[in-house]
Amino acid sequence: AQSVTQPDIHITVSEGASLELRCNYSYGATPYLFWYVQSPGQGLQLLLKYFSGDTLVQGIKGFEAEFKRSQSSFNLRKPSVHWSDAAEYFCAVGADTGFQKLVFGTGTRLLVSP
Amino acid sequence: AAGVIQSPRHLIKEKRETATLKCYPIPRHDTVYWYQQGPGQDPQFLISFYEKMQSDKGSIPDRFSAQQFSDYHSELNMSSLELGDSALYFCASSSGQGGETQYFGPGTRLLVL
C-alpha cells in the first residue's frame, strides 16, 4: 500500500527566501505524485504533478518539484516565497492503475514572516 | 474553467440525524472520489465511483452510503450522525481509467452538534 511522509509539520520562512518542503513516499511500482495546497477553510488546489518523464516538474505559482526515485522523494521548492504562499501543503501519491485513491501525507503548514 | 461543485458548503446537524452531500464533477469527468478531512488531519479516502459503479472503497463507515447518478453527479448519504463525523468532506473528479489527476471541490463543512 502507498504511504507518504512529510517530516515537517510546520515551517517558517521569511518573505523572499527560498523554500523546500520535503515529501517521501512508499510505493512498490511507479508512483503518481502530487502536491496540493490548502488555504484555511478552503479546498485543495493542485500545484503540480509527476507521472513520468522529466523528473523536474513545474507547477503553478512558481513552484517546482523534483522526483528522485533513488531517495523515494518528491520535494517541493520555490525560489522566493510570497506572503500569500502561507498555507497547508499536502503531498499525495496515487497508483498508476485505474480509479486509485490518493494517499496524502499529514501536511506541512507554511508560515511566512515579514 | 468549470470546477467541481459541492453543495451545501456548510451543514449543521444534530446527533443521530441524517445528511446528504452532493457533488457535481467537472464536465466530461466520469470518476468521482469522496474524502473526509477531520480537524487538523489529512484527507482520508472514503469511496469512489466510475461510470456509476463503485470502483474503490476506503474507510467509509457502514452508516454512510454513496452513489453516482446517470449525469455523473454523486451523493454521499450519512445517517445516525455522530460528533466524530464533523469534518470537511471533499469531492474530487477525474477523467479516464488510470491514475488521472483528481480535481477537488471546495468541500462541505459538516458540523454535528
Side-chain angles (χ1 to χ4, degrees), chain A residues 32 34 36 38 40-46 49 51 88 90 95-107, chain B residues 9 31 33 35 37 41-43 45 48 50 55-56 88 90 96-107 109:
Chain A
Y32 281 23
F34 306 83
Y36 287 88
Q38 183 179 33
Q42 301 299 310
L44 294 162
Q45 182 181 22
L46 179 68
K49 60 189 178 185
F51 286 176
E88 186 93 21
F90 290 97
D96 58 354
T97 52
F99 323 121
Q100 292 297 314
K101 63 182 182 290
L102 292 179
V103 174
F104 288 84
T106 51
Chain B
R9 292 293 310 277
T31 307
Y33 309 78
Y35 293 83
Q37 185 180 30
Q41 304 295 314
D42 55 292
F45 172 73
S48 63
Y50 167 71
S55 53
D56 197 4
L88 192 55
F90 287 112
Q97 299 185 38
E100 301 297 334
T101 301
Q102 295 179 30
Y103 294 91
F104 284 76
R109 185 169 296 280

Side-chain angles (χ1 to χ4, degrees), chain B residues 13 23 46 77 110:
Chain B
K13 291 287 185 179
C23 169
L46 292 177
N77 298 292
L110 172 66

Side-chain angles (χ1 to χ4, degrees), chain A residues 84-97:
Chain A
S84 60
D85 293 324
E88 186 93 21
Y89 291 80
F90 290 97
C91 180
V93 62
D96 58 354
T97 52

Side-chain angles (χ1 to χ4, degrees), chain B residues 22-92:
Chain B
K22 297 184 179 183
C23 169
Y24 298 87
I26 292 172
R28 292 180 294 282
H29 280 194
D30 48 21
T31 307
V32 169
Y33 309 78
W34 286 97
Y35 293 83
Q36 178 192 56
Q37 185 180 30
Q41 304 295 314
D42 55 292
Q44 295 289 318
F45 172 73
L46 292 177
I47 196 167
S48 63
F49 293 88
Y50 167 71
E51 286 290 347
K52 292 151 282 185
M53 298 290 290
Q54 181 180 308
S55 53
D56 197 4
K57 191 173 181 180
S59 50
I60 182 170
D62 292 340
R63 300 177 288 106
F64 293 6
S65 65
Q67 58 181 323
Q68 186 180 33
F69 295 85
S70 58
D71 64 350
Y72 296 105
H73 94 272
S74 178
E75 294 184 4
L76 177 66
N77 298 292
M78 310 160 69
S79 62
S80 302
L81 287 169
E82 302 174 357
L83 297 179
D85 296 329
S86 295
L88 192 55
Y89 290 84
F90 287 112
C91 171

